[in-house]
Amino acid sequence: KAMAGKKNWEVKKLGEVCEKTDQGQPKNFFKKEFRYIDISSINAEAKEIQNANLIPVEGAPSRARKIVGAGDIVFATTRPYLENIAIVPTEFNNAIASTGFCVIRANATIAYPEFLYFTVISKPFIKKVLPFQRGANYPAVSDKDIFGIKIPLPPLQIQKQIVAKLSAVQDYKKQLLRQKAKLKELFDSALHKSMNN
């Protein structure tokens, strides 16, 4: 029912609702060290960034090139079916992401970052990405492929309502994932104790 009025939803290419992002060597942006987001920073199940290590500018990996801010979405282009996708939280504002990510930055005048986040982690979106995969060992898609995918774009007011609903569901999912991890720990330690008696 909330979706009544889908008629005035536009359909746009993802790239049309995004802003350009910066790339460059860490030493051009930071004096000493920077936070680095790479594929291993992402928890694919929770779709969130779990860690972003502080790395000295001197020892920067060659892939550390993409400047990201809070609200940007990082979408891993290698093995996209693993769904290593996350939204950059405030504490990792001004980090550098690996070139293995497509950085999706919402044009705030027409799209909420969270709305784009929920759009790109949705099954229909991932399904449209997968046919673009190329390469045998490391099947990958390009940023251009991702930005070319068409998405429904409701008015901001409706985006806000959708985000509110989906955020509640996602918070619940994250709670369940944390409980699942705790249970596994409990189970493993109980198993360990009973095996070592």
Side-chain angles (χ1 to χ4, degrees), residues 8-83:
N8 61 4
W9 290 25
E10 291 183 273
V11 172
K12 294 243 187 225
K13 287 182 178 167
L14 178 62
E16 295 178 308
V17 301
C18 288
E19 289 185 7
K20 286 260 177 284
T21 56
D22 292 325
Q23 285 202 42
Q25 297 201 13
K27 63 171 193 261
N28 300 340
F29 299 93
F30 300 95
K31 283 197 178 79
K32 280 188 176 162
E33 51 188 16
F34 63 94
R35 292 228 169 255
Y36 180 47
I37 299 167
D38 68 357
I39 308 290
S40 64
S41 305
I42 312 278
N43 174 330
E45 206 176 7
K47 304 270 184 295
E48 63 183 354
I49 296 174
Q50 292 209 313
N51 53 29
N53 294 326
L54 269 174
I55 291 193
V57 168
E58 293 309 311
S62 58
R63 293 172 69 101
R65 287 284 179 273
K66 297 194 169 189
I67 314 298
V68 295
D72 287 351
I73 298 146
V74 288
F75 188 114
T77 49
T78 304
R79 298 198 177 117
Y81 54 86
L82 295 179
E83 297 180 26

Side-chain angles (χ1 to χ4, degrees), residues 145-162:
D145 297 329
I146 291 173
F147 285 128
I149 290 170
K150 292 187 171 144
I151 62 162
L153 192 74
L156 281 171
Q157 195 43 45
I158 303 209
Q159 289 182 35
K160 202 173 176 179
Q161 293 167 5
I162 293 171

